[in-house]
Amino acid sequence: GESVGLHLPTLSVQEGDSAVIKCTYSDSASNYFPWYKQELGKRPQLIIDIRSNMDKRQGQRVTVLLNKTVKHLSLQIAATQPGDSAVYFCAENTGGSYIPTFGRGTSLIVHP
Amino acid sequence: KAGVTQTPRYLIKTRGQQVTLSCSPISGHRSVSWYQQTPGQGLQFLFEYFSETQRNKGNFPGRFSGRQFSNSRSEMNVSTLELGDSALYLCASSLGSSETGELFFGEGSRLTVL
């Protein structure tokens, strides 16, 4: 499958601020985009996902935007907390694939 | 229900040796996928097994192999270990019947090759 690329390897924000993690993908056949969060020393866990027939999806303090025209994804985390400090992976499932291809991850650091 | 279990959690090997890692998926999950995680390289896909058959394979050399048993438990084997094989090896299980299925990861097996 196609690799997903990330704009920034590390993002630092102050507690309470918003954080935006950006991602690009190159396979126009990709139809599903999950985001996983991995805290230090822990396993990755799904936090939100979006399908290609959607432009936006909201969760608790997190929003994912999908721009299929330019093949961009973004994960917005509102009112960040120290517990949001983690590596965030965007991923994509191309059509017919049951397993997502992960990007390298963005390390988010939330300063108290 | 029990989560994904990986054994061993930590191991140290020397170059040239081989290693076998085990993954027990969540009950009812038929897909097990394996990933190599190294600093700065993200989650690199090794292979996926579904109902005892390898369904997808990543771009790793033939030294990396795997298998899945009838109870969905999976093993991966790395032969002729190299220093660069030092990494955290994660397995993930899912139902495997949907392109939008959530992956449930184990805690990983940390391999150090000396």
Side-chain angles (χ1 to χ4, degrees):
Chain A
E2 297 288 336
S3 297
V4 283
L6 295 171
H7 291 279
L8 283 175
T10 303
L11 178 63
S12 292
V13 299
Q14 289 297 128
E15 182 178 1
D17 288 348
S18 295
V20 179
I21 298 171
K22 298 179 181 180
C23 191
T24 60
Y25 65 96
S26 55
D27 190 346
S28 58
S30 294
N31 55 15
Y32 174 64
F33 306 90
W35 285 85
Y36 284 78
K37 172 186 178 183
Q38 185 178 28
E39 296 179 49
L40 187 63
K42 296 189 177 181
R43 68 191 80 190
Q45 291 187 299
L46 179 70
I47 55 170
I48 194 167
D49 55 17
I50 189 167
R51 302 187 185 198
S52 58
N53 61 353
M54 305 168 68
D55 297 322
K56 178 179 180 179
R57 191 172 186 206
Q58 289 184 290
Q60 188 178 15
R61 291 198 300 113
V62 294
T63 300
V64 59
L65 300 177
L66 173 62
N67 184 332
K68 294 182 285 294
T69 303
V70 293
K71 298 179 184 172
H72 281 182
L73 285 158
S74 67
L75 177 71
Q76 302 176 357
I77 305 173
T80 54
Q81 305 165 358
D84 295 328
S85 295
V87 176
Y88 291 83
F89 294 97
C90 65
E92 61 177 317
N93 275 53
T94 58
S97 171
Y98 295 89
I99 297 296
T101 299
F102 287 87
R104 293 187 179 184
T106 293
S107 176
L108 174 65
I109 301 171
V110 179
H111 298 282
Chain B
K1 54 185 177 182
V4 179
T5 304
Q6 290 189 246
T7 57
R9 292 290 315 282
Y10 303 91
L11 65 167
I12 299 174
K13 295 284 186 179
T14 56
R15 280 183 299 173
Q17 288 187 309
Q18 73 160 10
V19 65
T20 299
L21 309 178
S22 179
C23 175
S24 293
I26 290 172
S27 178
H29 285 190
R30 297 166 64 188
S31 169
V32 174
S33 50
W34 289 89
Y35 297 85
Q36 182 193 68
Q37 186 173 31
T38 53
Q41 292 300 315
L43 294 165
Q44 295 192 287
F45 173 69
L46 283 154
F47 30 65
E48 183 227 1
Y49 285 86
F50 179 80
S51 293
E52 302 180 66
T53 301
Q54 189 180 85
R55 188 163 62 174
N56 287 289
K57 187 177 188 304
N59 297 320
F60 277 80
R63 299 186 297 108
F64 292 82
S65 63
R67 60 178 175 169
Q68 186 179 36
F69 302 96
S70 58
N71 62 357
S72 292
R73 187 178 70 87
S74 177
E75 290 182 346
M76 67 163 282
N77 183 277
V78 188
S79 62
T80 319
L81 284 166
E82 301 177 358
L83 295 179
D85 296 332
S86 294
L88 179 67
Y89 290 88
L90 291 162
C91 79
S93 78
S94 67
L95 291 171
S97 56
S98 167
E99 295 175 1
T100 59
E102 178 177 357
L103 298 182
F104 294 85
F105 285 86
E107 293 186 290
S109 293
R110 184 166 295 281
L111 170 65
T112 302
V113 182
L114 302 177

